[in-house]
Amino acid sequence: MIKRILVTGGAGFLGSHLCDRLVEAGHDVICLDNFFTSQKANVEHLLERRNFELIRHDVTRPMFFEVDEIYNLACPAAPGHYQYNPIKTTKTSVLGAINVLGLAKRVKARVFHASTSEVYGDPEVHPQPESYRGNVNPIGPRACYDEGKRAAETLMFDYHRQNGIEIRVARIFNTYGPRMHPFDGRVVSNFIRQALSGEDITLYGDGSQTRSFCYVDDLIDGFLRMMEGQHPGPMNLGNPGEFTIRELAEMVIALSGSTSRIVQARDLPEDDPLQRKPDITLARGALGWEPSVPLHEGLGRTIAWFQGIDLGRYRPPTPNY
Ligand code: NAD
Ligand code: UDP
């Protein structure tokens, strides 16, 4: 059945891939964004499609649409972006969730919410199952994002219990791929940009901290399955393949044929999680979902995309990259 679907943060990295899939499936898609960390180029190719509409709006302000489903992705996601204006980050998560849920209540829409592995903070349980309540520093530099996302989860479940709103809360782990902002300061974009230009690859700390990287196409499959499925979440969506940041640097150098050196550019940032790996038992069982693109393959595709873009067309959203 064709649905009317609102995607907040729809011009961003994940949002633009999601809009592609929804438009391709024939749905009537409204892409809403304030373009803080993205640009229209991500969805330029969709502008001529009759079932796609692009709207500039900030989710901290109320919004009125007549839709069947909402994907709530609006929020800066890279540490450098969300720490640039931390008060705005909390407002985006919390007021954004309130406005999206108020809209959902009025029109009886189902809401998919993009939460994050950051709700686990610097985890003492490894890998992280959904039952783990996390180890978040509520007053540190990452708190605006982590606590904002935790409060948004609370709002999702309270609107569900109090107002019967249908919710789907996904806890997304590190995801990469084409259309990441080349100046977002995230590790994959930094390393690829540095490798392709022959600059030093900047390890923060000694590079022994770990992350588990999911290719974007796999993740978006998970979004669509979760929205269609019956489980409200919270549900981990990510790739359980775990790598040290140094291993990632070595892989990027090998795949891009770069001559860059790996250097320890600075100490590990405050509250930077030492390890992160999703337990995806729930998603496997409830959605029959698991990622299929291994890191070396996804990195290859991402490097090819970075090779094809003109960096001069990308304005760094913040100085933090
Ligand atoms: P992104 O920065 O590319 O996309 C976020 C989008 O939201 C951007 O287009 C930005 O301009 C928009 N936005 C920010 N504040 C807004 C506001 N106040 N009003 C309207 N639009 C606003 O990041 P992404 O990686 O695509 O992340 C999308 C969502 O997924 C975020 O909510 C993020 O927290 C979540 N997430 C992403 C990852 C990941 O690894 N990519 C991991 C965990 C969670
Ligand atoms: N990192 C790094 N060099 C960089 C950028 C990031 O070593 O140029 C590290 C960062 O300290 C963290 C990991 O890579 O340990 C992942 O960082 P990212 O900003 O991508 O996302 P996070 O998972 O921390 O939100």
Side-chain angles (χ1 to χ4, degrees):
M1 196 185 57
I2 302 297
K3 295 181 198 124
R4 291 168 303 175
I5 303 179
L6 170 67
V7 181
T8 78
F13 162 48
L14 298 180
S16 63
H17 286 276
L18 176 62
C19 286
D20 279 350
R21 296 283 295 270
L22 296 174
V23 166
E24 225 32 73
H27 297 298
D28 199 353
V29 177
I30 302 170
C31 169
L32 177 154
D33 210 293
N34 72 350
F35 303 108
F36 170 39
T37 59
S38 60
Q39 50 248 305
K40 286 182 201 147
N42 281 350
V43 289
E44 208 168 14
H45 58 288
L46 294 174
L47 291 175
E48 63 195 17
R49 303 288 289 261
R50 281 190 313 186
N51 55 338
F52 180 80
E53 195 179 345
L54 180 60
I55 293 181
R56 184 187 290 265
H57 183 80
D58 194 303
V59 291
T60 60
R61 306 271 168 168
M63 50 197 132
F64 295 86
F65 298 102
E66 308 307 312
V67 289
D68 306 302
E69 290 182 352
I70 305 169
Y71 287 85
N72 185 37
L73 274 58
C75 187
H81 289 169
Y82 67 66
Q83 290 172 22
Y84 173 70
N85 183 346
I87 297 169
K88 178 67 194 269
T89 300
T90 301
K91 285 183 180 173
T92 295
S93 271
V94 176
L95 296 177
I98 289 171
N99 288 328
V100 159
L101 286 161
L103 168 60
K105 184 178 161 194
R106 182 175 65 81
V107 298
K108 300 187 170 48
R110 183 181 290 186
V111 179
F112 174 99
H113 177 67
S115 188
T116 170
S117 52
E118 283 285 321
V119 300
Y120 302 124
D122 187 9
E124 303 129 313
V125 172
H126 195 72
Q128 295 81 53
E130 291 83 354
S131 55
Y132 177 51
R133 293 186 186 176
N135 177 34
V136 172
N137 174 3
I139 57 168
R142 297 174 82 104
C144 58
Y145 185 69
D146 303 9
E147 297 292 11
K149 290 284 188 180
R150 288 171 70 98
E153 285 200 7
T154 306
L155 284 160
M156 292 287 149
F157 278 85
D158 281 337
Y159 268 80
H160 172 59
R161 282 185 289 258
Q162 199 172 324
N163 299 114
I165 304 292
E166 281 200 71
I167 54 162
R168 305 285 182 269
V169 176
R171 290 183 178 157
I172 304 163
F173 284 63
N174 296 60
T175 301
Y176 68 98
R179 298 192 203 141
M180 296 187 83
H181 199 295
F183 298 106
D184 65 11
R186 286 190 261 202
V187 69
V188 172
S189 21
N190 269 9
F191 285 5
I192 294 179
R193 219 187 58 245
Q194 291 160 347
L196 293 181
S197 61
E199 288 167 46
D200 290 347
I201 307 268
T202 54
L203 288 187
Y204 299 165
D206 64 4
S208 62
Q209 70 272 33
T210 71
R211 293 293 185 272
S212 305
F213 299 98
C214 186
Y215 188 65
V216 60
D217 291 356
D218 281 333
L219 186 80
I220 303 299
D221 276 339
F223 282 17
L224 298 171
R225 284 189 196 214
M226 193 172 173
M227 188 61 125
E228 287 303 308
Q230 296 305 312
H231 203 293
M235 191 183 294
N236 290 339
L237 293 180
N239 191 323
E242 185 184 11
F243 295 84
T244 67
I245 296 304
R246 184 178 286 278
E247 286 172 330
L248 177 75
E250 287 163 353
M251 207 183 281
V252 168
I253 287 179
L255 288 168
S256 58
S258 172
T259 53
S260 292
R261 296 177 312 146
I262 299 175
V263 299
Q264 189 167 331
R266 52 176 283 190
D267 292 340
L268 198 64
E270 189 181 344
D271 293 338
D272 199 295
L274 294 180
Q275 53 182 0
R276 187 184 285 156
K277 169 182 164 134
D279 178 335
I280 59 164
T281 310
L282 178 60
R284 279 199 183 102
L287 309 179
W289 175 85
E290 70 183 318
S292 64
V293 181
L295 183 58
H296 63 88
E297 196 180 313
L299 278 181
R301 293 185 208 172
T302 310
I303 290 168
W305 181 79
F306 270 80
Q307 281 168 327
I309 59 170
D310 173 4
L311 285 181
R313 291 193 63 203
Y314 289 84
R315 190 183 65 86
T318 74
N320 309 328
Y321 59 89

